[in-house]
Amino acid sequence: MPLEFELPDYFERPELVLASFTATVYEDLDSVVEMREALFLDRDVIGDVFDENLVAALEAIAEAWGPVADTRDSFVESLLAATPEVLSFYGLIGLELRAKIIGWEYARGRLEAALDSPNVETVGSDHLLPQPVPPVRTAGRLRRLLRAINRPAVRRVARGVERSLGAADVALGSAVKFIPHHEKLVEMKELLENLAGTFADQAEG
């Protein structure tokens, strides 16, 4: 007998779930770009892992992120305007959407757990990461900074960034199939994801 799941009420409006999810991904990327030095370039923490190529890559990403971040409103508005027929065709309603969103939320939750580790010290009063769906988020950009105390913490956070961003691929990949001109968000997300993974590999060495 097949398993039966009861969808939360907010999944009755899949366009709102997708809009909130996408806005959260933008804010997560804002956070990673804004905190790039604290996350990846603390000489006292990473020691011989410090790499001039990493510095150059992070600065190039920071310069490129601005124009991509500016696409946030148009992407979210396009999702809000999507018809049920289109969302259904691309697997973005009901149980399919639930699976994609909850899979992402799980990976993102592991990142939050890494940031809450006793080996990580944070400065500020806001949540390090914006809260995910539901409902559509209206909070401003993240202002909190993070400083990792030791190399294991840096590695865990970097790996968490990689996995959290990677888990967003499924829903985002479906969305960009019917909303043109937003592939640049996916590409920038993948670039940061790969960079975080490479950094985590170095920190483990």
Side-chain angles (χ1 to χ4, degrees), residues 17-98:
V17 174
L18 283 166
S20 181
F21 155 75
T22 302
T24 302
V25 172
Y26 272 102
E27 289 205 24
D28 284 357
L29 290 169
D30 273 338
S31 301
V32 174
V33 171
E34 184 173 335
M35 295 188 303
R36 62 192 181 280
E37 293 185 6
L39 285 169
F40 302 124
L41 298 179
D42 188 332
R43 287 179 182 270
D44 293 334
V45 174
I46 61 179
D48 57 4
V49 178
F50 185 84
D51 188 331
E52 293 295 339
N53 290 326
L54 176 61
V55 176
L58 289 170
E59 289 309 306
I61 287 171
E63 292 175 2
W65 171 242
V68 179
D70 289 342
T71 66
R72 178 183 338 233
D73 290 346
S74 63
F75 200 167
V76 169
E77 288 168 5
S78 296
L79 288 169
L80 290 172
T83 66
E85 292 77 16
V86 168
L87 295 177
S88 177
F89 183 82
Y90 289 99
L92 292 173
I93 63 169
L95 294 176
E96 289 182 273
L97 177 60
R98 177 184 183 274

